[in-house]
């Protein structure tokens, strides 16, 4: 079984920065893509950024140029550097492991989420 543990959320002022981390643990052979989703109150969960095992990245238009995703394949860890934060970035951020290969096969996994609040 794979567990994803996020850290780094918190309260930040508009224009500030935060760095989220997510570490995947378990008997993992490979994770095809790791990413970050977010869900604001009353809204659906949306993809923010994703990075493949060979470092191909995707960013939602709303965060492009402000957020940077990176990955440590050896430690199955993904990071999200968030700069120039806006109030509309306020949400619970969820880590996702897409296509994680373990003894039981290929599955997707989710973290429990970390709250990011951008407010003055």
């Amino acid at each position: 079984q794979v567990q994803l543990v996020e850290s780094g959320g918190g309260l930040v002022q508009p224009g500030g920065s935060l760095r989220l981390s997510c570490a995947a643990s378990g008997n993992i052979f490979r994770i095809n893509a790791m990413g970050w989703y977010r869900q604001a109150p009353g809204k659906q969960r949306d993809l923010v950024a994703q990075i493949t095992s060979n470092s191909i990245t995707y960013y939602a238009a709303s965060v492009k140029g402000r957020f940077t995703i990176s990955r440590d394949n050896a430690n199955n860890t993904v990071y999200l550097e968030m700069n120039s934060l806006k109030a509309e970035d306020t949400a619970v951020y969820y880590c996702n492991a897409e296509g994680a290969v373990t003894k039981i096969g290929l599955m997707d996994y989710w973290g429990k989420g970390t709250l990011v609040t951008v407010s003055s």
Side-chain angles (χ1 to χ4, degrees):
Q1 182 153 356
V2 175
Q3 288 188 325
L4 302 180
V5 178
E6 302 109 331
S7 61
L11 173 64
V12 63
Q13 292 186 342
S17 298
L18 279 176
R19 187 185 195 223
L20 305 183
S21 300
C22 171
S25 62
N27 195 1
I28 304 167
F29 298 133
R30 184 183 74 251
I31 302 176
N32 290 331
M34 298 188 77
W36 293 92
Y37 288 70
R38 69 185 180 188
Q39 187 168 20
K43 296 190 176 182
Q44 66 181 21
R45 188 178 298 188
D46 292 323
L47 177 62
V48 174
Q50 188 179 62
I51 184 167
T52 67
S53 58
N54 55 354
S55 299
I56 296 172
T57 58
Y58 163 84
Y59 294 95
S62 59
V63 307
K64 196 172 291 186
R66 299 189 298 123
F67 291 10
T68 302
I69 191 169
S70 59
R71 177 173 174 173
D72 179 353
N73 287 328
N75 294 303
N76 291 318
T77 301
V78 65
Y79 306 95
L80 186 67
E81 187 75 34
M82 305 185 294
N83 298 314
S84 302
L85 283 161
K86 306 175 182 179
E88 49 264 43
D89 294 317
T90 295
V92 178
Y93 284 70
Y94 295 91
C95 179
N96 170 260
E98 181 181 296
V101 181
T102 67
K103 286 184 177 179
I104 64 173
L106 184 71
M107 289 182 64
D108 296 346
Y109 295 89
W110 291 90
K112 293 183 179 181
T114 185
L115 178 63
V116 172
T117 303
V118 184
S119 175
S120 55

